[in-house]
Amino acid sequence: LEYSSKLETQSRELEQIARKLREANAKLTALSVQKDAFLSQVSHELRTPMTSIRSFSEFLKEGGLDAQARSRYAGIIHEESIRLTRLLDDLLDLSVLENGQVVLNVQTARISDLLDRAVASAGLADGGLEVVRQSEGEGIYLKTDTDRLSQVFINLISNAQKYCVSDAPKLRINVSQSKGYVDIDFVDNGLGISPDDATVVFEKFVRLTDQASAGSAGLGLAISREIVHRLGGSLDYVPGQGGAAFRVHIPLTNV
Ligand code: ADP
């Protein structure tokens, strides 16, 4: 009797091991599918600027063009190579962030100073996006990787500018504190993002509008979310605000 109950236990254990192996195998298959999809997306993204560079440099090589055409083609090659470099930089950044290899450079700074810098770096054109900041929360000090956080701010501000369709584009930035965390809201008065798309926009290579020609690869929000996670917080879309609204929720101190 003892022997048979031992056998039963062993067979149950074997079953558990077999189930775990099956689960691990399913996970590996899913990861491999994801990796293939990612590689094919990357190749596709790289191919577009490469094709332009190749054909326009071929035209230049063949000669027989007037000065105006030559300068136009050289201009296209120049722009496309900048786009290619930006794409590679973004991909590298994302890969480093996703692999957890990022070393944080923690500094103390006031949110208002970070926002001032981000607004200046976003290079808003005159007469373009109006940025409205009036919250008292801006006086709060943060101890975090301020350069990385500024990168997120710049991305959200540039997006508000890029995707704001209103005649009088406006972005409100509001800062509020809650139990060791700070919420920084970026609310614009553009088209906004539908509830269905609101989770998808954080995925790699997702563009809802056809901005391919403007050199956008759909990596900005994916990178921003990875950064905010790395800083111990979250980046989410807040529905029902009229235009688009993004909330950065991060701890006051990251050590
Ligand atoms: P990119 O701007 O490079 O395309 P992002 O990851 O920053 O990539 O954004 C992904 C997509 O989300 C954009 O292509 C755009 O369609 C949408 N989006 C982002 N920000 C806004 C916004 N403020 N208003 C409307 N749509 C937006």
Side-chain angles (χ1 to χ4, degrees):
L1 200 72
E2 202 183 306
Y3 181 68
S4 91
S5 93
K6 215 178 193 174
L7 266 184
E8 231 170 67
T9 318
Q10 275 179 349
S11 99
R12 257 204 311 275
E13 276 170 8
L14 272 178
E15 242 167 57
Q16 267 176 10
I17 293 172
R19 200 182 36 157
K20 281 200 180 129
L21 278 176
R22 272 197 302 274
E23 280 169 10
N25 191 33
K27 266 189 203 150
L28 272 179
T29 313
L31 274 178
S32 153
V33 169
Q34 268 177 29
K35 199 177 120 205
D36 286 350
F38 176 70
L39 279 178
S40 99
Q41 275 168 326
V42 171
S43 330
H44 176 77
E45 294 294 331
L46 294 177
R47 189 164 296 133
T48 317
M50 282 313 288
T51 307
S52 276
I53 291 173
R54 205 169 118 186
S55 14
F56 286 105
S57 57
E58 246 161 46
F59 292 151
L60 284 178
K61 214 174 101 200
E62 279 163 15
L65 298 165
D66 61 24
Q68 208 184 355
R70 270 204 309 274
S71 136
R72 200 162 63 83
Y73 290 178
I76 296 174
I77 293 171
H78 182 68
E79 266 169 37
E80 291 298 302
S81 51
I82 290 176
R83 180 172 154 191
L84 204 55
T85 312
R86 201 183 315 133
L87 181 62
L88 291 174
D89 285 346
D90 280 354
L91 282 171
L92 194 65
D93 205 16
L94 196 58
S95 132
V96 166
L97 281 161
E98 282 182 342
N99 292 330
Q101 297 161 333
V102 175
V103 179
L104 295 183
N105 171 21
V106 176
Q107 287 174 319
T108 302
R110 210 163 48 173
I111 297 184
S112 56
D113 293 334
L114 296 179
L115 288 171
D116 284 345
R117 255 197 281 151
V119 170
S121 305
L124 306 179
D126 268 345
L129 185 70
E130 182 195 350
V131 181
V132 183
R133 293 162 44 188
Q134 50 199 177
S135 59
E136 288 169 18
E138 285 199 8
I140 298 170
Y141 279 85
L142 279 180
K143 193 172 176 198
T144 191
D145 189 326
T146 50
D147 285 342
R148 281 297 192 171
L149 186 60
S150 298
Q151 193 183 339
V152 174
F153 290 170
I154 293 168
N155 182 241
L156 294 174
I157 297 167
S158 320
N159 275 356
Q161 183 179 32
K162 266 198 286 187
Y163 303 113
C164 239
V165 287
S166 140
D167 289 340
K170 202 185 247 186
L171 172 69
R172 275 188 299 116
I173 306 179
N174 190 62
V175 185
S176 56
Q177 197 173 334
S178 62
K179 292 186 200 121
Y181 278 78
V182 65
D183 289 342
I184 306 144
D185 290 310
F186 295 80
V187 185
D188 66 39
N189 63 346
L191 277 179
I193 298 173
S194 77
D196 282 347
D197 291 328
T199 47
V200 177
V201 283
F202 292 98
E203 284 171 19
K204 291 178 267 242
F205 304 115
V206 168
R207 308 179 192 95
L208 303 178
T209 39
D210 186 18
Q211 285 286 327
S213 54
S216 90
L219 290 174
L221 285 175
I223 293 176
S224 297
R225 186 175 250 183
E226 282 295 333
I227 292 175
V228 179
H229 282 174
R230 187 70 184 79
L231 300 180
S234 54
L235 169 63
D236 287 295
Y237 187 76
V238 187
Q241 296 282 309
F246 291 90
R247 166 167 290 180
V248 178
H249 175 75
I250 53 158
L252 291 169
T253 303
N254 187 302
V255 271

